[in-house]
Amino acid sequence: MAVPVAFFALFFAYPVVAIVGRGLKADGVWQFGRFGEVLSRPDIQHVLWFTLWQALASTALTLLIALPGAYVFARFDFPGKQLLRAIVTVPFVLPTVVVGTAFLALLGRGGLLDEVWGVRLDTTVWAILLAHVFFNYAVVVRTVGGLWSQLDPRQEEAARVLGAGRFAAWRRVTLPALGPAVAAAALMVFLFTFTSFGVVQILGGPGFSTLEVEIYRQTAQLLALPTAAVLTLVQFAAVGAILAVHAWTVRRRETALKLVDPAQTARRPRGAGQWALLGGVLLTVLVLILLPLAVLVERSLDVSGGHGFAYYRALASAEMNSGTFLVAPLEAIVNSLRYAVVATLIALVVGGLAAAALTRKAGRLVRGFDALLMLPLGVSAVTVGFGFLITLDKPPLDLRTSWILVPLAQALVGVPFVVRTMLPVLRAVDGRLREAAAVLGASPLRAWREVDLPLVRRALLVAAGFAFAVSLGEFGATVFIARPDNPTLPVAVSRLLGRSGELNYGQAMALSTILMLVCAVSLLLLERIRTDRSGEF
Amino acid sequence: MSTTKKIAVSAVAVALGATALAGCGSSDDSASGSGPTGSSGSKTVTLVSHDSFNASKDVLKEFTAETGYTVKVLKSGDAGAALNQEILTKGSPRGDVFFGVDNTLLSRALDNGLFTSYKAKGIDQVAADVQLDAGKHRVTPVDTGDICINYDKKYFADKKLAPPKTFDDLAKPAYKDLLVTENAATSSPGLGFLLGTVATYGEDGYQDYWKKLKDNGVKVVDGWEQAYNEEFSGSAGGKKAKADRPLVVSYASSPPVEVLYADPQPKTAPTGVATGTCFRQIEFAGLLDGAKNEAGGKALLDFLIGKKFQEDMPLNMFVSPVTKGAKVPDLFTKFGATVDKPTTVAPDEIAKNREQWVQSWSSLVVK
């Protein structure tokens, strides 16, 4: 408990409070009158309204499209399932710069839709919503599907034997068990879309602005700290309210679930209905997720006079890029992986400790901390980044120019994922199993190893995968943290896109493709570790 | 109690993941640029800048050979964000020298007392018209760049239409629905172009001009990347995206860059510059107030306006030198455009009115 609290106090609460204080204090007095001033501005009201409704619409749409996917991944076995599971997670970690480019290629002028049906969706809200679904599909599939695959189907079967209809059995047995996971997933998606930044900027054009975009503008571009502080607090309040509701629903539904090994619950689809469902989900994944990714790959290979690997070769040379980088762009991959490993470690340690502490429900204080852990997702990267600047500036903590800030900032975003993924599973472990083991003479460690670990290991790996992936694609915080010239992949991509010329554009696409592959391979490896080592650790 | 053990296990699990992943990395375990941090030793001089700063390794080595100082470069966001971070950390800066304040932001930097006065050696060799702080030498000019309309040569040749030359031309019916520009609120070329129109039509006239541009179908996107790579038909990215806007707000140096990064390199640039639509940007560097290594910072400022750096700069940052006698690379003279009379607006004017100009521009054009 002490470790996560200290971590959050130092690297999150303190910087954010400091930067907000800078904006709201004048001569040492809090100026709360500024709220009225800022919130009565019509442009700000417009931003608030748009932020809210697009987030609600995106969340609804994501759940609608992704829940069938979660079911299919949890309950069906089909060839290529692991690969597909890794692939659907890739979008989640791609930098928005890349996704924006891919979606423009699909929905914009001369894009696929335009050529086939003459439809253009760029600079409409539809492009934003679709991109949000693209990003967050994996959140739902992994959080809900992860638990769903471990629910014992026999419970539902028992209900059927007792005379419940198929739907009634699902509604009374499976749905209540899934509730917390669905709520957690919906909440995450809502948080993400509520605080959406890059997608809105690139696909929406200047006509659309979310709270997050506005906070960035007010802070980084205008240094209008009072306005930024007010907006930050508004976002805080909104996020806090969502989290409170969420905590309440979770508490109402907490029950010990009988978890089983996922390998036993999945089977080949049977009957026309199930095959149709599987086909439908695969088609969705193909159109919504694979197509935008495929466009990137195609553009990375599209060299003048045909197709080839010229852009990939260029990535390895520092000379060709002397104008953009001091090192060959390929080195960005190594940097990214290094940061990601460190960030994952930090996130797992902090998040794992927090989840363990939260499992032993120790009163209201701890529950409050649960919500607190989620706050970094709802606070803009620029606020945290600028907060770092004015707080971590004195020895021994002058970390402003240290490389460790990058993984720290990334871990801040990763921790909530770890907690969210671990918590439902940790809480669902039936304590009596542990007690039974203890009665039979197992030491606490042995009891934990034999009882908890097999049930938790999966969640742990999923959590690690998420933290790792978040770190790989994280762009917001890394941009604001000055560091020696060792760019991460997303930063390198955005730098290449920031230069004119065919080679730069092609290299940006190639690097995005590599980023995609690296993510997919990492996620696949995590999946493999799980299956290879099932049984003993 | 058992929590610590759980951690141990999680760590092992991650370590497993990490070892599996290490395969993707490289085998060299040299420090990834994470040298000693915090206090900059007397032998290191730290340059804080925006993301676009670049210098070749050789030139930085040259500096070390001449002065004994090693340069450490920190980049933090775009020009506006980088400057604002310096303003936030005023008094305990992250480095010794800041590079990348341009004339649109200069007043903000000076009013905040960000820099210590220092008259760089060789400043007498720098063109007088770019020395905007000649009285106090709080900042030293390092480079200039022009924000101008770029046009797609092929489009205008095919249409047998003369490309536009001036701001006035852009509002003519012949060029309807051809121009894409950036959001002046978020993008520096977008702002530069707006300032160019303010300089040309004055406080009273620029809004009318933008009304005309809007009626003439100007498209506004958020950033330069999107405008240039996705919407502009003359760029490599735009060609792939089947872009349909042959006019874009970009830089006078964009055509040479387009040539440099084309494979194979064409004989002539695919894009041209409308030289009557330019706004001049001047970039400055300054010694940060509270710098830990003042002597090193001063040496670096001298070096930035020295011939070696000035001649190395164009191909790294695609800007023009300010020091007399610094040679411009052939690529620039051959494919670039010379802008004789760029528009400018005085820095204090910009500081005073910028917000209001951008606001009224937004409500006119974006909403």
Side-chain angles (χ1 to χ4, degrees), chain A residues 101 109 201 220-222 302 304 311 322-323 326 338 348 386 400 403 448 484 486 497-498 500 502-503, chain B residues 6 14 28 32-34 54-55 78 84 88 92 108 222 225 228-231 236 240 242 244 261 263 316:
Chain A
T101 311
R109 171 213 46 263
Q201 263 199 325
Q221 302 297 337
L222 305 174
D302 180 13
S304 46
Y311 298 138
S322 61
L326 278 177
R338 280 200 184 109
L348 275 184
F386 276 47
R400 290 175 309 172
W403 66 273
W448 186 81
N486 47 350
L497 281 175
S500 42
E502 184 188 0
L503 258 179
Chain B
K6 285 185 192 180
V14 177
D28 88 287
S32 53
S34 49
N54 264 307
D78 61 37
N84 286 338
L88 264 186
S92 74
R108 190 188 295 175
D222 227 58
E225 289 83 354
Y228 194 87
N229 286 325
E230 294 286 341
E231 304 285 345
K240 282 187 188 158
K242 300 195 177 60
D244 58 1
Y261 288 105
D263 192 25
N316 279 308

Side-chain angles (χ1 to χ4, degrees), chain A residues 19 22 41 43 46 101 104-105 109-111 115 120 122-123 201-203 205-207 216-217 219-223 225 299 302-304 310-311 320-327 333-335 337-339 341 344-345 348-350 352-353 356-357 360 386-387 389-390 393 398 400-403 426 434 444-445 448 452-453 460-461 464 468 479-486 491 494-507 518 521-522 525-526 529 533 537, chain B residues 1-7 9-18 20-21 24-26 28-35 37-39 46 48 51-57 60 72-78 80-82 84-89 92-94 105 108 112 183 185-186 219-222 224-226 228-232 235-238 240-245 250 253-255 257-258 260-264 292 315-318 354-355 358-359 366-367:
Chain A
I19 191 94
R22 194 64 78 102
R41 282 163 45 184
D43 58 328
H46 178 79
T101 311
L104 276 178
R109 171 213 46 263
E115 290 196 347
R120 286 182 55 182
D122 61 322
T123 64
Q201 263 199 325
I202 296 174
L203 292 172
Y216 169 78
R217 220 173 74 76
T219 309
Q221 302 297 337
L222 305 174
L223 207 60
L225 293 181
R299 286 197 180 186
D302 180 13
V303 293
S304 46
Y311 298 138
M320 270 184 154
N321 293 288
S322 61
T324 320
F325 299 102
L326 278 177
V327 293
I333 299 170
V334 183
N335 289 332
L337 286 171
R338 280 200 184 109
Y339 283 139
V341 169
T344 306
L345 277 170
L348 275 184
V349 170
V350 175
L353 278 174
R360 303 206 210 90
F386 276 47
L389 282 181
I390 57 171
D393 61 346
D398 188 1
R400 290 175 309 172
T401 59
S402 160
W403 66 273
L426 276 178
R434 222 174 293 140
L445 172 64
W448 186 81
D452 294 53
L453 188 63
L460 198 70
L461 282 165
F468 189 80
V479 171
F480 298 114
I481 294 167
R483 62 202 175 282
D485 198 21
N486 47 350
V491 171
S494 94
R495 275 194 212 168
L496 283 165
L497 281 175
R499 286 283 165 94
S500 42
E502 184 188 0
L503 258 179
N504 286 323
Y505 184 82
Q507 284 188 83
V518 170
V521 167
S522 316
L525 277 173
L526 282 168
I529 295 169
R533 309 192 57 86
F537 192 69
Chain B
M1 180 191 72
S2 68
T3 354
T4 39
K5 282 149 191 163
K6 285 185 192 180
I7 289 309
V9 178
S10 354
V12 173
V14 177
L16 270 175
L21 286 162
C24 316
S26 77
D28 88 287
D29 277 339
S30 60
S32 53
S34 49
T37 52
S39 66
T46 308
V48 188
D51 283 341
S52 312
F53 175 84
N54 264 307
S56 1
K57 268 189 177 152
L60 294 179
K72 180 175 160 191
V73 180
L74 298 178
K75 302 181 182 185
S76 49
D78 61 37
N84 286 338
Q85 290 178 57
E86 281 320 299
I87 291 173
L88 264 186
T89 57
S92 74
R94 290 171 297 170
L105 298 163
R108 190 188 295 175
N112 276 290
N183 188 348
T186 52
K219 179 172 186 173
V220 181
V221 295
D222 227 58
W224 178 89
E225 289 83 354
Q226 198 188 338
Y228 194 87
N229 286 325
E230 294 286 341
E231 304 285 345
F232 176 51
S235 70
K240 282 187 188 158
K242 300 195 177 60
D244 58 1
R245 298 247 161 189
S250 188
S253 61
S254 300
V257 183
E258 202 62 53
L260 180 66
Y261 288 105
D263 192 25
K292 290 195 185 74
L315 286 181
N316 279 308
M317 292 193 265
F318 307 105
R354 173 196 189 126
E355 252 325 83
V358 171
Q359 286 263 332
V366 178
K367 297 288 176 288

Side-chain angles (χ1 to χ4, degrees), chain B residues 40-81:
Chain B
S40 51
S42 60
K43 283 291 133 202
T44 308
V45 58
T46 308
L47 175 75
V48 188
S49 186
H50 49 60
D51 283 341
S52 312
F53 175 84
N54 264 307
S56 1
K57 268 189 177 152
D58 299 348
V59 166
L60 294 179
K61 278 195 193 118
E62 187 85 34
F63 173 72
T64 309
E66 278 174 27
T67 62
Y69 296 111
T70 318
V71 185
K72 180 175 160 191
V73 180
L74 298 178
K75 302 181 182 185
S76 49
D78 61 37

Side-chain angles (χ1 to χ4, degrees), chain A residues 443-456:
Chain A
S443 66
L445 172 64
R446 173 118 193 252
W448 186 81
R449 205 182 63 207
E450 302 283 352
V451 176
D452 294 53
L453 188 63
L455 295 168
V456 173

Side-chain angles (χ1 to χ4, degrees), chain B residues 292-306:
Chain B
K292 290 195 185 74
N293 184 358
E294 259 196 31
K298 287 174 179 173
L300 184 59
L301 281 174
D302 298 343
F303 185 76
L304 288 179
I305 55 170

Side-chain angles (χ1 to χ4, degrees), chain A residues 140-158:
Chain A
V140 178
V141 166
R142 290 185 89 99
T143 23
V144 179
L147 185 68
W148 208 333
S149 65
Q150 295 185 72
L151 289 181
D152 195 339
R154 283 171 306 191
Q155 290 177 319
E156 210 176 292
E157 283 156 19

Side-chain angles (χ1 to χ4, degrees), chain A residues 40 66 107 121 164 174 179 286-287 308 332-333 360 372 380 389 415 455:
Chain A
S40 59
L107 308 172
L121 291 176
T174 309
L286 185 76
V287 171
I333 299 170
R360 303 206 210 90
L372 217 62
S380 88
L389 282 181
V415 165
L455 295 168

